[in-house]
Structure formats: C-alpha cells, structure tokens
C-alpha cells in the first residue's frame, strides 16, 4: 500500500460532511486520538485508488456515514514529515439511508456535529478553518452535471463498419467500469447518451450500478454536433439546467479534447 504519487507527494482526500438542521447547517468533525486534534474526516489514498473513492471510503470509515460528494473545495497543501502533502476535499451530504452508528476506533475516537461557527472554533488547524469558510461562503447543496467523452474505442479508420456501431476496446471497457464507480461518488441521477454504441457502453455500467434508465439523446451524436465541438452537449446542458434539479451524466461523441483515462489522479 502506498499514499504517494510519482513525485513523492502524499495524496489524501476527505469531505466537509454536512447536514441541515434547525440552526441552518451542521458539519461533522472527528477527533483523532493520536494527535488530539479536531479535523474533517479524511485519509490517505490506497495504491491504485482514485481520490474520489478515497474521500468516500475515508468518510465512511471515520464517521459511519455513506457520503454523496458535491462541489469540490480547495485542496489543502502542506508538508508532513518533510514531504509535500495534498488533501483533496469535496462538500458532502449523507446518502439517503447511508447512516450507520459511529463506532470509535484507534484512529478516531469522537464524532461531533456542530453548527458552522462552533465548528470553526473547534478546528485545530488554520487550513481547515479556511476550508470551512470556503464551504460556508457558497451553496452547500449542489447538483452535478457531468459531460463525458466516450471511453477508448480504438481507431476510427480501423473499424470496417458503421462508425455508430464502433464498440469500446478492452481498455475502454475497463475505463467504463472504473468510471461507474467514480460517478457513483456523486450519487445517482439521469444517464444520457449519444446513440453511438461506444457512448452507450461508456455509461452503461454506471446506469446498471445505480439502477437508472439509460436515455438516448440524438443531439449528442458526433454528426449532429457539426463543426462546433461540444455543440450537442451544450444543448443538452442548457435543457437540463432549465429542468428540475436532478444529477445527470451525459456521454457524447461530439466532445473534443484530450481523452483522460480513468486511472488514479
């Protein structure tokens, strides 16, 4: 197991876990026995783990709460034992039915839900206080809309049939399975795809994991996007933003730019 990136940077992740209360919002703080400090739930990344999965796992381990991640917060950057450390944070709320009883451990022995002002006074580190200020300054409850380019599908010129039928290659199939786990960190919602097989296959595992229906949207097809990259995705996004608040992931062939694999960041 390792927590370091290629350049020796220690990677970790966590969340500002919040819930509504009669006093506005409460956030969760944990007390670590070893350091006698109060901080947000967080922890080191495991080998091969994406930081989104790290954040969800660590919050569950330290608080007993299955978290749904929201908007990203500024990363905390500092040194630990002479090495650079980066902790990525997201705002997060408990999933429906995601509560479990807090169980003290050798690492975390107390969990406290506090109003924002009280939490700021209890936090042990200035960078955590600054994180809380950033969280409190903007909306806590946000709705994700994720635009995706299809996973790896080989070379277009190497496919002999109709390009709409071009499937994912082995790498793309692995990427789609990894992507399902990453998208599930933001909860469940609508799953929208271009009719192209490679786009449908990219989000099919996520739809299966969350039990969502997979909606086909023709304006996401590459040929409909014309000479304006992302035009179809922009139309779907505008339509979605006018609809009721609901998370969504949309995969299309009209998006351009470098493809990034689903490997850990």
């Amino acid at each position: 197991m390792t927590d370091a990136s290629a350049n020796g940077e220690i990677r970790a992740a966590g969340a500002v876990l919040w819930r509504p209360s009669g006093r506005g919002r409460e956030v969760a703080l944990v007390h670590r026995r070893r350091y006698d400090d109060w901080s947000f739930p967080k922890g080191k990344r495991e080998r091969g783990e994406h930081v989104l999965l790290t954040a969800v796992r660590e919050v569950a381990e330290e608080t007993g709460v299955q978290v749904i991640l929201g908007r990203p917060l500024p990363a905390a950057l500092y040194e630990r034992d002479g090495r650079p450390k980066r902790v990525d944070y997201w705002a997060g709320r408990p999933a429906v039915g995601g509560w479990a009883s807090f169980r003290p451990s050798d690492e975390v022995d107390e969990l406290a839900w506090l109003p924002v002002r009280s939490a700021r006074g209890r936090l042990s580190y200035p960078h955590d206080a600054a994180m809380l200020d950033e969280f409190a300054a903007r909306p806590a409850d946000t709705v994700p809309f994720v635009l995706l380019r299809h996973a790896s599908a080989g070379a277009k010129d190497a496919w002999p049939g109709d390009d709409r039928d071009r499937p994912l290659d082995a790498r793309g199939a692995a990427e789609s399975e990894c992507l399902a786990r990453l998208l599930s960190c933001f909860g469940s919602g609508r799953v929208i795809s271009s009719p192209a097989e490679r786009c449908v296959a990219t989000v099919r595992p996520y739809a299966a994991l969350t039990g969502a229906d997979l909606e086909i949207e023709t304006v996401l097809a590459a040929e409909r996007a014309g000479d304006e990259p992302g035009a179809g995705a922009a139309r779907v996004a505008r339509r979605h933003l006018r609809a009721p608040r609901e998370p969504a992931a949309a995969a299309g062939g009209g998006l351009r730019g470098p493809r990034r694999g689903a490997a850990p960041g």
Side-chain angles (χ1 to χ4, degrees), residues 5-6 13 42-43 60 80 84 86-87 92 110 116 144 149 154 184 187 194 230-231 263-264:
S5 58
K42 66 180 184 301
R80 173 71 70 185
R86 176 189 176 103
V87 187
E110 291 184 66
V116 171
R149 190 182 180 195
S184 69
S194 155

Side-chain angles (χ1 to χ4, degrees), residues 4-265:
S5 58
N7 64 359
E9 181 183 56
I10 300 171
R11 297 297 302 273
V16 177
L17 180 63
W18 68 277
R19 67 183 183 186
S21 75
R23 294 171 289 180
R25 286 175 285 177
E26 292 181 333
V27 296
L29 303 184
V30 295
H31 181 264
R32 298 185 298 177
R33 187 194 310 268
R34 176 183 177 186
Y35 301 104
D36 190 24
D37 62 5
W38 287 92
S39 63
F40 299 118
K42 66 180 184 301
K44 294 176 182 177
R45 184 181 71 172
E46 295 182 348
R47 181 187 295 274
E49 186 177 51
H50 194 286
V51 288
L52 284 169
L53 300 176
T54 303
V56 170
R57 176 180 55 77
E58 287 290 341
V59 169
E61 289 178 358
E62 295 192 353
T63 69
V65 174
Q66 185 67 33
V67 65
I68 299 296
L69 299 182
R71 65 182 176 91
L73 298 170
L77 306 172
Y78 53 93
E79 285 197 358
R80 173 71 70 185
D81 299 327
R83 297 171 60 192
K85 182 172 182 177
R86 176 189 176 103
V87 187
D88 291 287
Y89 283 99
W90 288 262
R93 57 180 173 79
V96 175
W99 291 84
S101 299
F102 169 70
R103 295 183 179 181
S105 65
D106 292 339
E107 185 174 357
V108 173
D109 59 354
E110 291 184 66
L111 169 68
W113 286 94
L114 300 171
V116 171
R117 180 173 296 183
S118 299
R120 197 182 194 286
R122 190 175 296 194
L123 285 166
S124 299
Y125 304 108
H127 59 258
D128 281 344
M131 183 80 61
L132 183 59
D133 290 342
E134 168 65 21
F135 165 79
R138 299 171 184 263
D141 193 12
T142 56
V143 179
F145 183 77
V146 182
L147 290 175
L148 304 165
R149 190 182 180 195
H150 62 78
S152 179
K156 180 178 180 179
D157 294 343
W159 175 250
D162 189 322
D163 190 56
R164 291 172 294 185
D165 298 328
R166 178 159 51 100
L168 298 182
D169 56 23
R171 173 187 167 192
E175 289 175 343
S176 69
E177 294 292 341
C178 184
L179 180 65
R181 297 191 296 273
L182 298 184
L183 290 175
S184 69
C185 295
F186 299 105
S188 60
R190 295 178 63 193
V191 184
I192 309 166
S193 175
S194 155
E197 168 57 24
R198 59 191 179 277
C199 298
V200 172
T202 296
V203 291
R204 186 182 289 123
Y206 172 60
L209 181 64
T210 60
D213 293 330
L214 206 163
E215 306 172 35
I216 301 301
E217 178 57 78
T218 57
V219 300
L220 285 171
E223 58 269 24
R224 290 292 301 274
D227 295 330
E228 298 182 16
R235 288 194 290 270
V236 171
R238 286 194 297 268
R239 187 186 309 162
H240 181 76
L241 292 174
R242 291 194 294 265
R245 292 163 57 89
E246 184 180 8
L255 305 178
R256 296 293 185 269
R259 178 183 291 109
R260 300 186 184 277

